[in-house]
Amino acid sequence: MANADIKVAIVYQAHPAPAVNGIIKPPKPGGYADSGADIAYALKIQQINVITPVPNPYVDKDTDWVFPDTEHGIAHAIEKGATCIWLNTVLYADHPIATFLNRGIQVVGQHPVLSGMYDDKWATAELLKDNDLPVPHAEQLHYEDFIAGVRKMHFPMVAKPIRGRGSEGVALIRNKQEYQSVLTAMFQTDRYGTTIYLEKYLPGEEVTITVMPPGTYTLQGRTVKKETPWCLPAVKRFNHHNGIAPYNGTVAVIHNSTVLNDKEEADLRIQQLYTQCATAGKLVGMRAPIRIDSRADENGNYFLFDLNMKPNMTGPSRLHRHDQDSLTALAARKIGWSYPELLVNMLGQHWGL
């Protein structure tokens, strides 16, 4: 099905994802309705047939552009004519979209089973490590072990939710006092569940790389077929807060991120990182863009420390959102794609069972 024939509806996260073995993924306020509306509006101005909940959506009212990712919400979109569902939401094995995939609907997004599996930082790090990809040393800390105080500590370290969302809840820990205070707060909020991810802190430069799935793309006016996962240009992160890149809901990425220049990109370590990230994309069975965050150690060697099955996809398509570029949109601009052109190319990789 060509893009010209598609009728696409964008869905957002209406409810928190279910806990998995006591581990919770905290929902984003608004459930990505904001980026979903950015996507819908941008596709519409590219002459894509976008199905919306209301006939004449207001440009600045997010929920006029997107459907909830419930069974009822998806069915409503299909009843209104949608032939493709854009999954701008958190996925898991028994997500409602699974029912509609089995009925032949097309989607833009990851396979729900694989997305749920690799949303788990521990499982993903183990997969990458088992396939000889560089990941920082890490451990899982269960609540009962924290209370018992039975582990040996090596500082500095980074504490993260196992099923996190961006840098929310991520904290640098430099000593025993911070260890106690940070982890006590993380466990007491009950926002992340009963297990926390502890990772060796890497002091070097941080870059993030968007990996695109195999498929057919329009690049500089030509149709190009990519047989394997491939990378958009790396984006460098700076202006960290206490050693951690701030959550993009707090600081817009345009204020702390920039695409590598040609000389920086030509560095052999960055080129090797592209190969490693593409391999990681293949390992997780990607069917839509993923984003991998990497950071260098004290010797300048990069490690893959975070693989995001659902990268943030905000964009400056609406006037009141002019500063809402995402890391992926920044990277896409270097290869000649505007935000709407990035989305049209993503739409071209729609799939179904």
Side-chain angles (χ1 to χ4, degrees), residues 41-353:
Y41 186 84
L43 290 175
K44 194 173 183 66
I45 64 176
Q46 289 291 103
Q47 307 303 311
I48 299 296
N49 193 339
V50 178
I51 304 297
T52 56
V54 299
N56 298 297
Y58 283 101
V59 67
D60 57 354
K61 187 176 180 183
D62 295 342
T63 52
D64 276 6
W65 295 91
V66 291
F67 294 84
D69 66 341
T70 59
E71 185 170 351
H72 176 77
I74 297 168
H76 183 207
I78 293 170
E79 287 165 9
K80 295 200 72 173
T83 57
C84 179
I85 303 297
W86 188 302
L87 300 169
N88 190 49
T89 185
V90 172
L91 298 171
Y92 43 89
D94 56 353
H95 188 279
I97 194 60
T99 299
F100 297 93
L101 273 169
N102 290 330
R103 296 175 187 169
I105 196 72
Q106 297 283 302
V107 298
V108 174
Q110 309 295 350
H111 192 291
V113 171
L114 296 178
S115 187
M117 189 182 302
Y118 297 122
D119 222 4
D120 182 310
K121 284 185 178 20
W122 181 258
T124 304
E126 290 294 290
L127 173 72
L128 301 185
K129 185 168 64 176
D130 289 346
N131 285 274
D132 300 319
L133 293 175
V135 296
H137 174 74
E139 299 176 31
Q140 294 185 92
L141 177 65
H142 303 292
Y143 177 67
E144 57 268 27
D145 292 333
F146 171 65
I147 294 299
V150 295
R151 71 179 303 279
K152 185 182 285 187
M153 293 162 284
H154 301 279
F155 304 110
M157 65 172 72
V158 178
K160 301 177 175 181
I162 288 203
R163 291 182 177 270
R165 185 172 53 77
S167 55
E168 185 196 342
V170 179
L172 172 63
I173 298 174
R174 290 163 292 200
N175 53 52
K176 191 171 182 179
Q177 290 73 28
E178 289 183 354
Y179 174 84
Q180 288 294 330
S181 62
V182 167
L183 289 169
T184 296
M186 289 181 76
F187 282 123
Q188 283 183 347
T189 62
D190 201 29
R191 186 164 171 78
Y192 310 115
T194 55
T195 307
I196 298 297
Y197 191 82
L198 297 178
E199 180 181 83
K200 178 184 177 182
Y201 175 70
L202 300 170
E205 183 168 86
E206 180 175 337
V207 297
T208 189
I209 294 172
T210 296
V211 187
M212 303 294 289
T216 301
Y217 296 87
T218 301
L219 286 165
Q220 297 172 344
R222 297 187 301 116
T223 299
V224 177
K225 189 169 180 61
K226 300 281 191 177
E227 301 289 349
T228 57
W230 58 286
C231 298
L232 295 181
V235 176
K236 177 167 53 178
R237 311 299 307 277
F238 52 89
N239 288 346
H240 289 61
H241 291 177
N242 197 24
I244 307 297
Y247 172 51
N248 71 309
T250 305
V251 179
V253 299
I254 62 170
H255 300 306
N256 60 19
S257 311
T258 184
V259 181
L260 296 190
N261 62 39
D262 292 346
K263 182 179 179 181
E264 291 170 321
E265 259 204 291
D267 186 285
L268 289 178
R269 282 182 279 208
I270 294 295
Q271 292 299 312
Q272 181 182 42
L273 193 54
Y274 285 151
T275 300
Q276 292 165 339
C277 287
T279 299
K282 187 173 183 179
L283 288 170
V284 300
M286 62 180 298
R287 302 191 184 204
I290 62 172
R291 202 190 77 227
I292 300 177
D293 300 326
S294 304
R295 199 158 177 171
D297 65 7
E298 55 277 3
N299 299 314
N301 298 312
Y302 283 95
F303 291 78
L304 284 60
F305 72 81
D306 208 2
L307 188 152
N308 303 279
M309 293 297 281
K310 185 209 168 299
N312 183 34
M313 206 52 67
T314 57
S317 58
R318 297 177 289 162
L319 283 177
H320 68 292
R321 303 266 296 168
H322 64 90
D323 63 345
Q324 288 301 306
D325 257 329
S326 62
L327 293 164
T328 298
L330 284 176
R333 195 166 296 129
K334 190 177 180 187
I335 67 166
W337 283 347
S338 65
Y339 176 65
E341 288 167 335
L342 163 67
L343 299 174
V344 169
N345 275 279
M346 287 176 62
L347 180 60
Q349 317 319 313
H350 63 83
W351 60 276
L353 296 181

